[in-house]
Amino acid sequence: MTIIGWLQAIAFFAVVLALTKPLGLYMMRVFGGERTLLSPVLVPVERAIYRLSGVREDEEMSWFVYALCVLAFSLISLVYLYVLLRTQQRLPFNPQHFGNFAPDLAWNTAVSFTTNTNWQFYSGESTMSYLSQMAGPAWHNFVSAAAGIAIAMAVIRGVVRTSAKTLGNFWVDLTRCCLYVLLPISVVVGLFFVWQGVPQNFNAYREVTTVTGVTQTITGGPMASQEVIKELGTNGGGFVNANSASPNENPNPLTDFIELILIFSLGAGLTYTYGRMAGDTRQGWAIFAAMSLLFFAGFAAAYAAEAAGNPLVHRLGVLGANLEGKEVRFGAAASALFATVTTDTSCGAVNAMHDSFTALGGLVPLVNMQLGEIVFGGVGSGLYGMIVFVVLTVFIAGLMVGRTPELLGKKIERREVQFAILAILVTPILVLVPTAIASVTPAGLATLNNAGPHGFSEILYAFSSTNANNGSAFAGLGPNLFYNVATGINMLFGRFAVIVPVLALAGALAGKRAVAQNVGTFTTNSGIFVALLLGTILIVGALTFLPADALGPIVEHLLVLQGKTF
Amino acid sequence: MLSQRRLERRPQARPLFDRAIALRAIGDSFKKLDPRWMMRNPVMFIVEVGALVTTLFFARDVLARTPQLGFDFAISAWLWFTVIFANFAEAVAEGRGKAQADTLRRTKSDTLAKRVVGDTVETIASSLLRKGDIVRVEAGEVIPGDGEVSRGAAMVDESAITGESAPVVREAGGDRSAVTGGTRVLSDTIEVRITANPGETFLDRMIGLVEGAQRQKTPNEIALSILLSGLTIVFLIAVATLLPYSIYAGARQTLPVLIALLVCLIPTTIGGLLSAIGIAGMDRVMQRNVLAMSGRAVEAAGDVDTLLLDKTGTITLGNRHATEIITADGVSARDAASCAHLSSVADETPEGRSIVLLAAQAGISTDHPAEATFVPFSAYTRMSGVDLPDGTMIRKGAPDAVIAWVRVAGGEPHADLAAHVERIARAGGTPLLLARNAAVLGVIHLKDILKPNMRERFDRLRAMGIRTVMITGDNPLTAAAIATEAGVDDFLAEATPETKMALIKREQQSGRLVAMTGDGTNDAPALAQADVGVAMNSGTQAAKEAANMVDLDSDPTKLIEIVEIGKQLLMTRGALTTFSIANDVAKYFAILPAMFAAAYPAMGVLNVMHLATPQSAILSAVIFNALVIIALVPLALRGVKYAPKGADAVLRENVLIYGLGGILVPFVGIKLIDMLLSALHLT
């Protein structure tokens, strides 16, 4: 590890920290319907949208109606993308004349983008028309992210409101998020990316002869516009297969740095929004602190493993960090940082090949996803995932002060525990069970790139990533009918089987009266609470996956030390 | 002084493990193996199923003479022990209640009752008595059923119910009329109107409660059970999927090994002790002679934010003493003293008696004049006095009440008296105005005597975040002086049942849980409205029915102890849950390397405890898991150490002991068991 390497991480984190309060405050105003800098321009647009769609701005929804709207909206989005991909051949903006997607691949891709996962069993540059890219993935990148943030807002309202029946209006939250938050940032940073060299055109690909005399295809397309929202909305689906490792999507260390910041910024900002809406910013900072500690722990582990390199390669006389599958222009530190950040959140964009990481370096993204991506997390989903852990921590540890546990004065009782546990159950079921099926069935084993523990890690990674709606891949695993269908189902349940109980939890909390707080009350804004929250996350969240991880990356690491590879 | 002695009295010291209770509990822990019973506790039910499956594997081993016969036997035996230990914890907790129920049942032995029908008295079995019957009970006889004294007064020995040997007075009318079946009349004869049918009496309910027959899971217990079931499902998935994973890895695991891992990971420690903790909490309340009508009430006590404490009897000793009579201008001291005497001679309250004493010191002694009507004190009039046959009316009482009374009669009090009233009130005394017809004669100074050590108690409550509000009929000035002296946070002066009710509702609306004590019939609505209402056993039937706890010693100070027990109950649950979950870290480190030691010898690095063999590692974890339940039974029954502190301090301490301790202890424990197993060559 080098000081420069660490400075990259620290500088990155410092910028995120600086953005947290202004972004959080801005989002609070936007979702509260208050005036912002952009109101003069955007309010008429917003009103027009409501008029056209018949949405009543001031009509609030119960958790159940809110959840129904989320589900209905997602279902329509899913069908829409499926149809688009199945018919792209005949539609315009297809200079490369790509054919239609096969049914199972179209299903997988439609689910993938609807759920904010952006798992890609296809290569964008060789299968998807420009129209599909813009009207499909790019559009979904906005709305699936906006849906996530909308749900987070509904959950925050549920936690902070008292004796309330409603959590807000999904359509209003969705519209405001796209209009005021995602679009303005995307426009500005998109132009910045164009300036830095990210393509933005409708040209067909170019065949060029390189200096070495080889012909090479240079891809084009509306890339910059999609690049921003890919990170900002923690979507992660690359325009091209190489994602942010490609010089077109991510030309230089500066764009790399900006992309990292985009990934964390909204998730971080939402913690502040939460604190402000709770009437105590320390509530938000406590969550921010827990997230930050997990981030630094993950980065330290990944960077240490990558910087230490592969002992087998060292034995061949090639010393130094593990650079296999990495862009030399980014190096070990920036690659480890990107891998940590992209899996802390549900982004899944990559600037290096996770499959080529050392065993322990690859363990970090895996664990991050198995925790449910709660380190700033997917936009919105990170916060509501964390709030589930907060509820559990409050319930377990809160009892130790001798009162019925309370979160912001609301008693955590039967219903709250029930919904929190339902949400917690989703990840172990959806990660461990499909991995178990795949690891002993011919279909699951057919497309593995490696044998032994590394092959196992590829399966485990695929289901961890799809369940957590991350979308990054341990690229060794290839698509087939089994994986197309199984990961599709996994993505779908990974998102909505969490959203429904989380909204129910919010609904239950919203309806509660707040009890008075006094010195006998368990506080959720102190250092000891942060420690307890981390303990709960690690013991309840991570220990479940220890057996699986032990048979994957951990044992692989131990075997590599003994000189065995797979 | 009786009340003072009660205050000092420590809970009856019953040893944690009585021999008879323990023996009965051992038998019960086997009876509870019935799957229909075990299903109520999903965590332990899973362990039982696991024990059964491993036993079947052992049986197969015996038939096939496989080499892992010894191992499978040991695992299945220890899994059975795990279940039995958990059952034992519950059985012991229940046994303590049952022992108490047996004692109570002995007092219930069928007695004869003398039923009054018209002018005649017939003798029937007490089991034939019905609500509304009138029975006569003479000195030396046992009261045949619950009821209210309808005629007469008597000394009653209630030790069978309360364990308190000092007899109490029970008399017709007022707030001391309730009698309980099974108690004994010591002097005089009373007539009692029966208020409960056989089988529904206080004693029957008490037996039911202590036996746990009516025990239902409390809200917090249900929520915790859901959490534990959820965690169990999580670990069930983690372990079940390990079978295919191990097949992929070429190191297929046997079912007994997987079951061993599962049992170690699911929260058996808290799962096994959860119901024992709840029963023991009820039992601790019971040992302080408080009868909680439900576990829910005990739990709610832990959440209380505001304690409403009656000044009299709780903060001050019941008896206020009259120390001086200040006369109004133009009224002779003798006249005032004589009127004060007349108004109090039939007044049996301690204040009334002290006024008679004071007047006697001034040389006045008259009998209650014939045909005079005594006007007793009531919470509405806040006055008492006497109406003489010649039409003279004498009243003494709260100044504002007396002034109003005098004004109705067309009089006006002397202005200088107001200064005296204020001076007395400021000093924390109680000023009583004395009036005859339309004239105020003077002020009687009643002095309150504070109970000892109350200030420390209120400080302790404040440290726990609980506000104390003193309830008193005194005027605001007196109340403020006593409140300051006693160290309560707030007071409600000139309290009437309505203002008391309003205070409770106000507190509840601002999100606070309220606890109060009461004994009178007019306390009943407030007792019902409060989140925790403790009725005094000496109180009326109405008060007892409205409350969710009854204090058999009739000691209002006990409310404070009840709150502490409630808090301790919740803390014990939280501490053991944390401990149980934290234990998993070490168990993983014991079992995982052992499982894959053959397929991946490199995993030996994770065997941080250096356990001797894979088999001894797994067995040690299972044994530790079983023994820790037994080791924690005393803690579950006694409750975690409790000190009145703020939440942050309590949390820091408990996290250190049960969280950090929960991570470290099993490392040591499993290692020690492993060393022992190796030394004995058992693996």
Side-chain angles (χ1 to χ4, degrees):
Chain A
M1 287 193 279
T2 61
I3 291 177
I4 296 291
W6 268 98
L7 279 180
Q8 289 180 44
I10 292 166
F12 154 71
F13 184 76
V15 176
V16 170
L17 182 63
L19 285 173
T20 298
K21 185 175 168 181
L23 271 175
L25 213 54
Y26 178 70
M27 282 190 278
M28 186 183 86
R29 287 172 175 274
V30 165
F31 289 100
E34 293 173 45
R35 263 190 88 78
T36 61
L37 207 63
L38 296 170
S39 295
V41 189
L42 294 177
V43 167
V45 183
E46 191 190 346
R47 292 277 145 76
I49 292 173
Y50 296 151
R51 245 195 318 280
L52 281 175
S53 54
V55 170
R56 283 210 223 121
E57 195 182 339
D58 46 4
E59 199 177 76
E60 294 230 336
M61 299 167 173
S62 69
W63 79 262
F64 187 71
V65 176
Y66 204 101
L68 277 185
C69 289
V70 173
L71 293 179
F73 177 73
S74 303
L75 179 69
I76 293 164
S77 306
L78 195 158
V79 173
Y80 157 73
L81 183 55
Y82 180 85
V83 173
L84 184 70
L85 294 174
R86 295 281 292 140
T87 55
Q88 67 168 0
Q89 194 171 8
R90 291 195 219 149
L91 299 173
F93 296 111
N94 190 0
Q96 299 301 118
H97 307 291
F98 294 129
N100 294 333
F101 273 52
D104 59 328
L105 187 59
W107 141 263
N108 188 283
T109 309
V111 171
S112 171
F113 282 90
T114 305
T115 56
N116 194 257
T117 310
N118 297 22
W119 172 266
Q120 293 167 297
F121 262 149
Y122 65 91
S123 296
E125 68 271 35
S126 55
T127 49
M128 205 179 260
S129 75
Y130 291 162
L131 180 78
S132 298
Q133 289 277 21
M134 290 186 300
W139 185 78
H140 274 82
N141 283 353
F142 278 94
V143 293
S144 70
I149 295 178
I151 293 159
M153 290 310 299
V155 171
I156 294 176
R157 291 186 192 117
V159 176
V160 304
R161 284 179 180 180
T162 50
S163 309
K165 289 196 172 70
T166 58
L167 301 176
N169 183 313
F170 174 66
W171 309 114
V172 172
D173 289 339
L174 186 75
T175 310
R176 284 185 181 154
C177 187
C178 287
L179 269 186
Y180 292 86
V181 182
L182 299 178
L183 276 171
I185 300 176
S186 295
V187 169
V188 175
V189 184
L191 288 172
F192 169 81
F193 279 160
V194 172
W195 169 41
Q196 290 295 312
V198 181
Q200 181 75 8
N201 58 46
F202 290 123
N203 301 340
Y205 300 166
R206 268 196 230 161
E207 299 283 328
V208 292
T209 312
T210 65
V211 241
T212 50
V214 194
T215 6
Q216 197 184 336
T217 310
I218 306 294
T219 56
M223 222 177 269
S225 54
Q226 195 164 331
E227 192 60 28
V228 190
I229 193 64
K230 178 184 98 181
E231 271 93 18
L232 183 65
T234 60
N235 295 287
F239 195 92
V240 297
N241 192 33
N243 210 304
S244 286
S246 124
N248 273 350
E249 286 201 19
N250 190 3
N252 55 47
L254 181 61
T255 54
D256 191 70
F257 190 74
I258 300 295
E259 288 189 6
L260 286 170
I261 289 164
L262 287 175
I263 298 175
F264 261 15
S265 53
L266 291 184
L270 279 171
T271 62
Y272 188 81
T273 311
Y274 170 69
R276 266 305 274 263
M277 288 176 67
D280 171 17
T281 48
R282 286 184 52 176
Q283 300 285 348
W285 287 120
I287 290 181
F288 184 94
M291 290 175 164
S292 304
L293 286 169
L294 286 172
F295 158 68
F296 275 112
F299 171 71
Y303 184 32
E306 293 311 298
N310 186 332
L312 300 184
V313 178
H314 293 173
R315 243 171 265 171
L316 301 175
V318 185
L319 298 179
N322 172 31
L323 287 177
E324 184 200 317
K326 289 188 179 62
E327 290 286 297
V328 181
R329 63 208 168 98
F330 299 136
S335 300
L337 181 59
F338 207 109
T340 310
V341 168
T342 202
T343 51
D344 275 342
T345 64
S346 81
C347 186
V350 289
N351 76 351
M353 180 98 158
H354 291 181
D355 200 17
S356 301
F357 272 39
T358 59
L360 290 186
L363 178 63
V364 171
L366 200 54
V367 171
N368 277 340
M369 295 185 296
Q370 289 163 348
L371 289 180
E373 292 167 347
I374 45 170
V375 182
F376 302 104
V379 283
S381 63
L383 184 71
Y384 63 67
M386 190 55 121
I387 286 179
V388 171
F389 274 110
V390 168
V391 167
L392 278 190
T393 308
V394 164
F395 183 74
I396 298 171
L399 275 177
M400 279 195 289
V401 307
R403 267 168 83 99
T404 304
E406 297 150 26
L407 172 61
L408 297 178
K410 271 97 166 280
K411 286 197 187 304
I412 304 299
E413 289 166 305
R414 179 195 180 140
R415 260 156 56 86
E416 291 74 34
V417 172
Q418 213 167 337
F419 294 132
I421 277 289
L422 276 177
I424 288 285
L425 275 175
V426 173
T427 301
I429 292 176
L430 290 185
V431 173
L432 295 176
V433 175
T435 304
I437 296 169
S439 62
V440 288
T441 52
L445 298 172
T447 57
L448 285 189
N449 205 18
N450 302 77
H454 196 79
F456 183 74
S457 299
E458 287 170 0
I459 304 174
L460 186 61
Y461 195 102
F463 289 109
S464 299
S465 173
T466 48
N467 159 71
N469 297 142
N470 185 276
S472 71
F474 235 30
L477 188 77
N480 64 12
L481 185 65
F482 170 78
Y483 281 111
N484 280 345
V485 175
T487 55
I489 295 172
N490 211 27
M491 289 185 275
L492 211 53
F493 282 92
R495 182 150 173 106
F496 298 107
V498 175
I499 284 176
V500 175
V502 163
L503 280 173
L505 171 67
L509 284 172
K512 298 214 145 194
R513 297 172 39 202
V515 302
Q517 316 226 359
N518 57 42
V519 292
T521 309
F522 176 75
T523 50
T524 48
N525 58 9
S526 60
I528 191 160
F529 175 73
V530 174
L532 285 168
L533 179 59
L534 289 174
T536 309
I537 291 169
L538 293 177
I539 293 184
V540 176
L543 271 190
T544 318
F545 298 96
L546 188 62
D549 291 344
L551 290 176
I554 295 174
V555 79
E556 186 191 350
H557 169 74
L558 297 171
L559 291 173
V560 166
L561 291 180
Q562 295 182 346
K564 266 182 87 174
T565 54
F566 299 91
Chain B
M1 228 173 285
L2 189 63
S3 48
Q4 204 167 354
R5 195 162 59 78
R6 275 184 190 153
L7 191 72
E8 307 292 313
R9 201 164 67 107
R10 297 268 45 95
Q12 297 163 11
R14 188 163 359 119
L16 214 48
F17 290 103
D18 183 284
R19 205 180 128 83
I21 292 176
L23 279 177
R24 183 150 75 165
I26 290 173
D28 285 347
S29 34
F30 283 92
K31 274 186 218 148
K32 284 172 188 275
L33 288 175
D34 184 338
R36 283 166 301 179
W37 175 267
M38 293 297 299
M39 293 248 273
R40 288 161 25 112
N41 183 342
V43 180
M44 295 318 292
F45 181 66
I46 293 276
V47 181
E48 187 175 38
V49 172
L52 201 66
V53 174
T54 47
T55 309
L56 292 177
F57 266 80
F58 167 65
R60 191 205 60 177
D61 293 339
V62 172
L63 295 176
R65 294 177 193 284
T66 53
Q68 66 268 47
L69 182 140
F71 177 74
D72 285 354
F73 170 74
I75 293 287
S76 82
W78 280 101
L79 293 188
W80 283 116
F81 280 137
T82 311
V83 185
I84 289 167
F85 288 168
N87 286 348
F88 177 74
E90 192 181 58
V92 168
E94 285 171 348
R96 289 156 65 80
K98 276 185 186 150
Q100 198 159 353
D102 287 347
T103 324
L104 289 172
R105 210 172 265 124
R106 255 173 260 137
T107 62
K108 225 190 113 188
S109 56
D110 215 21
T111 46
L112 289 179
K114 292 181 188 157
R115 183 162 64 177
V116 182
V117 184
D119 294 337
T120 60
V121 172
E122 57 181 24
T123 303
I124 60 164
S126 63
S127 57
L128 296 175
L129 285 175
R130 287 291 173 272
K131 249 189 225 174
D133 286 350
I134 305 274
V135 292
R136 180 171 297 165
V137 192
E138 285 166 29
E141 291 177 349
V142 170
I143 298 174
D146 289 2
E148 286 185 339
V149 180
S150 55
R151 185 184 295 179
M155 296 296 281
V156 179
D157 170 14
E158 296 193 336
S159 60
I161 305 273
T162 64
E164 180 66 58
S165 54
V168 290
V169 177
R170 291 286 177 259
E171 58 193 354
D175 288 346
R176 288 168 193 271
S177 62
V179 289
T180 312
T183 56
R184 186 178 294 274
V185 172
L186 295 179
S187 70
D188 307 305
T189 299
I190 47 174
E191 281 185 9
V192 174
R193 190 183 325 102
I194 297 296
T195 54
N197 290 329
E200 297 162 12
T201 64
F202 192 64
L203 199 59
D204 292 313
R205 263 161 72 198
M206 193 160 160
I207 291 169
L209 281 167
V210 294
E211 264 189 335
Q214 298 162 11
R215 199 182 115 73
Q216 286 178 325
K217 283 187 179 178
T218 60
N220 176 260
E221 218 175 333
I222 293 171
L224 191 52
S225 307
I226 291 171
L227 174 83
L228 298 180
S229 305
L231 292 178
T232 304
I233 296 173
V234 167
F235 286 118
L236 196 59
I237 294 163
V239 174
T241 52
L242 201 46
L243 180 63
Y245 298 169
S246 68
I247 294 170
Y248 174 93
R252 190 189 185 117
Q253 296 297 315
T254 66
L255 222 42
V257 168
L258 289 170
I259 290 171
L261 175 63
L262 175 65
V263 170
C264 286
L265 294 182
I266 61 177
T268 47
T269 313
I270 180 67
L273 296 174
L274 184 58
S275 67
I277 294 170
I279 298 168
M282 290 274 282
D283 189 55
R284 278 201 299 282
V285 172
M286 180 67 72
Q287 282 184 52
R288 280 167 181 76
N289 263 350
V290 176
L291 199 54
M293 296 304 162
S294 68
R296 181 191 280 259
V298 180
E299 216 171 81
D303 285 349
V304 160
D305 301 283
T306 307
L307 279 189
L308 305 190
L309 298 172
D310 280 324
K311 184 195 79 177
T312 310
T314 311
I315 295 167
T316 61
L317 294 174
N319 3 8
R320 285 180 296 188
H321 288 279
T323 52
E324 58 175 326
I325 300 174
I326 303 149
T327 54
D329 280 351
V331 179
S332 78
R334 199 169 169 79
D335 186 21
S338 155
C339 281
H341 188 266
L342 267 177
S343 72
S344 307
V345 77
D347 183 353
E348 281 302 301
T349 63
E351 294 82 2
R353 265 180 260 143
S354 77
I355 292 172
V356 173
L357 270 175
L358 185 68
Q361 279 163 17
I364 297 188
S365 65
T366 46
D367 282 333
H368 190 45
E371 286 169 53
T373 328
F374 176 62
V375 181
F377 179 85
S378 92
Y380 293 95
T381 61
R382 290 185 290 125
M383 294 185 298
S384 65
V386 68
D387 293 346
L388 297 177
D390 62 358
T392 309
M393 292 193 279
I394 302 173
R395 290 292 183 275
K396 64 171 197 292
D400 57 326
V402 173
I403 288 170
W405 182 77
V406 166
R407 281 189 181 142
V408 168
E412 186 60 36
H414 286 283
D416 61 328
L417 282 178
H420 290 295
V421 164
E422 205 176 309
R423 178 182 60 79
I424 294 169
R426 278 247 170 81
T430 308
L432 288 185
L433 277 194
L434 181 67
R436 183 174 53 206
N437 298 334
V440 178
L441 303 177
V443 192
I444 304 171
H445 185 172
L446 290 181
K447 256 196 179 154
D448 259 311
I449 300 163
L450 241 56
K451 280 192 177 180
N453 306 327
M454 290 316 285
R455 183 173 274 278
E456 290 80 59
R457 287 203 157 206
F458 297 137
D459 288 344
R460 269 171 64 170
L461 287 169
R462 202 167 302 116
M464 290 191 276
I466 297 171
R467 242 160 51 88
T468 43
V469 179
M470 182 181 83
I471 307 288
T472 171
D474 295 340
N475 67 55
L477 276 176
T478 315
I482 296 174
T484 316
E485 198 183 341
V488 293
D489 298 298
D490 204 352
F491 61 88
L492 176 69
E494 288 168 356
T496 62
E498 285 79 21
T499 57
K500 207 161 158 182
M501 188 72 163
L503 174 68
I504 293 175
K505 284 190 174 154
R506 204 163 54 239
E507 290 286 315
Q508 286 174 336
Q509 247 142 35
S510 52
R512 299 199 183 90
L513 256 68
V514 181
M516 68 167 284
T517 57
D519 52 4
T521 299
N522 53 24
D523 282 332
L527 279 170
Q529 176 72 32
D531 301 282
V532 177
V534 182
M536 301 296 104
N537 192 42
S538 59
T540 60
Q541 201 63 32
K544 283 201 240 176
E545 265 161 30
N548 41 22
M549 290 191 208
V550 176
D551 180 9
L552 301 173
D553 295 340
S554 306
D555 170 12
T557 345
K558 229 184 278 167
L559 192 51
I560 299 170
E561 285 172 55
I562 296 171
V563 168
E564 292 184 351
I565 293 172
K567 286 199 172 291
Q568 200 186 23
L569 171 71
L570 293 171
M571 270 182 207
T572 309
R573 271 190 206 137
L576 289 184
T577 306
T578 307
F579 183 83
S580 192
I581 295 173
N583 269 204
D584 281 2
V585 179
K587 291 170 185 167
Y588 266 123
F589 276 101
I591 297 184
L592 270 188
M595 288 173 107
F596 296 100
Y600 298 124
M603 270 221 204
V605 184
L606 297 181
N607 183 5
V608 289
M609 286 173 268
H610 300 288
L611 304 176
T613 64
Q615 292 202 334
S616 79
I618 296 169
L619 196 56
S620 303
V622 172
I623 294 175
F624 174 83
N625 191 55
L627 291 182
V628 85
I629 294 179
I630 276 293
L632 290 174
V633 169
L635 184 74
L637 296 185
R638 214 184 292 126
V640 300
K641 196 171 113 271
Y642 174 80
K645 285 187 218 162
D648 286 342
V650 171
L651 185 66
R652 219 169 301 133
E653 202 174 289
N654 284 340
V655 167
L656 221 55
I657 300 174
Y658 299 100
L660 206 59
I663 292 177
L664 297 179
V665 165
F667 278 104
V668 179
I670 292 173
K671 177 68 186 169
L672 285 177
I673 294 170
D674 178 73
M675 282 162 67
L676 195 68
L677 288 180
S678 307
L680 299 174
H681 300 288
L682 283 176
T683 54

